[in-house]
């Protein structure tokens, strides 16, 4: 069994924590439903213009687990054009 984690550092078009919460909750909720992964905001909670999101998947196949996380990154990039992905890291846990 393989566990992989995707960490996305995002630059958000939000000026308040309330605007940020709307964007982050939208990304996380839709990702849970679409990809069936565990996800959460893991850092920069008090910064309105930035967020660090983590996505985790478990699979018996390394390739499938990595592909799911790569698709999540592409999905965020395409689904939220006003959100900039500053950094991305996929690692095996």
């Amino acid at each position: 069994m393989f566990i992989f984690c995707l960490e996305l550092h995002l630059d958000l078009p939000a000026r308040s924590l309330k605007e940020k919460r709307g964007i982050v909750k939208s990304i996380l909720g839709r990702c849970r439903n679409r990809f069936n992964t565990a996800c959460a905001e893991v850092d920069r909670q008090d910064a309105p213009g930035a967020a660090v999101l983590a996505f985790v998947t478990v699979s018996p196949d390394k390739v499938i687990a990595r592909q799911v996380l790569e698709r999540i990154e592409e999905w965020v990039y395409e689904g939220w054009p006003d959100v900039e992905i500053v950094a991305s890291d996929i690692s095996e846990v």
Side-chain angles (χ1 to χ4, degrees):
M1 183 176 314
F2 300 97
I3 304 169
F4 276 82
C5 176
L6 165 65
E7 188 174 291
L8 288 180
H9 294 256
L10 305 175
D11 187 23
L12 306 173
R15 291 195 170 96
S16 70
L17 290 175
K18 185 176 183 178
E19 290 176 351
K20 173 186 177 174
R21 184 173 58 244
I23 296 169
V24 169
K25 285 183 79 173
S26 174
I27 292 171
L28 296 178
R30 291 181 185 184
C31 184
R32 281 186 197 106
N33 292 335
R34 183 178 178 106
F35 296 99
N36 194 24
T37 60
C39 49
E41 183 178 8
V42 294
D43 199 7
R44 308 281 309 263
Q45 287 94 343
D46 58 346
V52 180
L53 306 181
F55 306 86
V56 178
T57 188
V58 178
S59 174
D61 185 1
K62 271 187 173 184
V63 175
I64 292 173
R66 189 167 184 83
Q67 286 176 345
V68 167
L69 296 177
E70 289 170 353
R71 284 196 328 233
I72 290 173
E73 183 180 357
E74 292 171 11
W75 175 76
V76 170
Y77 178 77
E78 293 170 0
W80 286 268
D82 54 341
V83 172
E84 180 183 353
I85 298 175
V86 177
S88 170
D89 180 45
I90 297 176
S91 58
E92 186 176 358
V93 178

